[in-house]
Amino acid sequence: MSGPDFSEITKDEPEKSLLRPLKRTGGRNAFGRITVRHKGGGHKRSYREIDFLYNKIDIPARVETVEYDPNRSGFIGLLLYADGERRYALLPKKISVGDTVITGEKASLAPGNRLPLFKIPVGVFVYNIEIKPRGGAKLVRSAGVFAEVVAQADGYTSLNLPSTEVRKVTDRSFASIGEVSNE
C-alpha cells in the first residue's frame, strides 16, 4: 500500500487572506435532526479560496508555494501575479516554486499555463477545463487525472475524459496544460 509523498510541499501554514470558514453539518438538517447516518467527526478544516475563474488574462504569475489542501486531493499553489495579487490555484505535475504560469491566447504549451482549447493541439493533456467560456473550471480537477485533446472541428474540441467519456466542449473554453499534481 502506498500513500502520498509530501516532499513537494513547501509551506505548512495557508495564506490567511485566502481562508474562509467551512461549516460542516455532521449529517444533520436545519432542525438538528440526523438525516444521514454515519457522518461527522474528523478534523476541523478551513476552506482555501481556489481561483477557478482565472480572470487575470496575460498577467504572469510566479508560484510562491506548493501547499496541501485538506478539501481536495491535488496540491494547490500560491500564485503571486505581476500586479501584486495573490491567489490559490490547482497545480500540475512537474511544476515547482519559482516557475511562472500565465493565462491567455499567447501562452506557451508549458505545464500550468491556460489557453483556449482551439490553441491546444491534438494529443496534449489538459486539466481544469471550462464547460462554458469564462464559466470557471469544472472538469478534471482531481489528483493525478487529465483529459486528452482528441479532435478539433466546427468550433468544438473533443476531449477524452478520465471516465473514458469523449465530450465535446466549445473551443473558446480555457483549459490548463498538464496533469493534476499528487498522482
Side-chain angles (χ1 to χ4, degrees), residues 14-25:
E15 180 76 16
K16 296 283 187 224
S17 62
L18 297 173
L19 287 182
R20 298 290 174 262
L22 181 66
K23 183 161 176 21
R24 295 170 57 167
T25 61

Side-chain angles (χ1 to χ4, degrees), residues 63-127:
V63 178
E64 277 192 318
T65 62
V66 177
E67 300 179 22
Y68 170 76
D69 187 355
N71 303 304
R72 65 196 73 253
S73 53
F75 294 138
I76 60 173
L78 185 63
L79 302 182
L80 174 62
Y81 284 89
D83 61 3
E85 188 177 355
R86 286 183 168 86
R87 292 184 180 183
Y88 276 126
L90 198 57
L91 290 183
K93 288 197 300 191
K94 300 176 186 166
I95 200 164
S96 58
V97 173
D99 291 349
T100 303
V101 296
I102 191 165
T103 300
E105 288 192 19
K106 298 177 185 118
S108 64
L109 284 173
N113 288 351
R114 282 183 70 77
L115 292 95
L117 287 169
F118 72 88
K119 292 278 189 176
I120 301 173
V122 172
V124 174
F125 292 160
V126 293
Y127 72 101

Side-chain angles (χ1 to χ4, degrees), residues 7-8 14 30 32 34 36 39 50 72 96 103 110 125 134 137 144 147 156:
S7 62
E8 300 158 31
I34 295 175
V36 180
K39 278 201 162 228
I50 310 293
R72 65 196 73 253
S96 58
T103 300
F125 292 160
R134 313 315 294 146
Y156 287 92

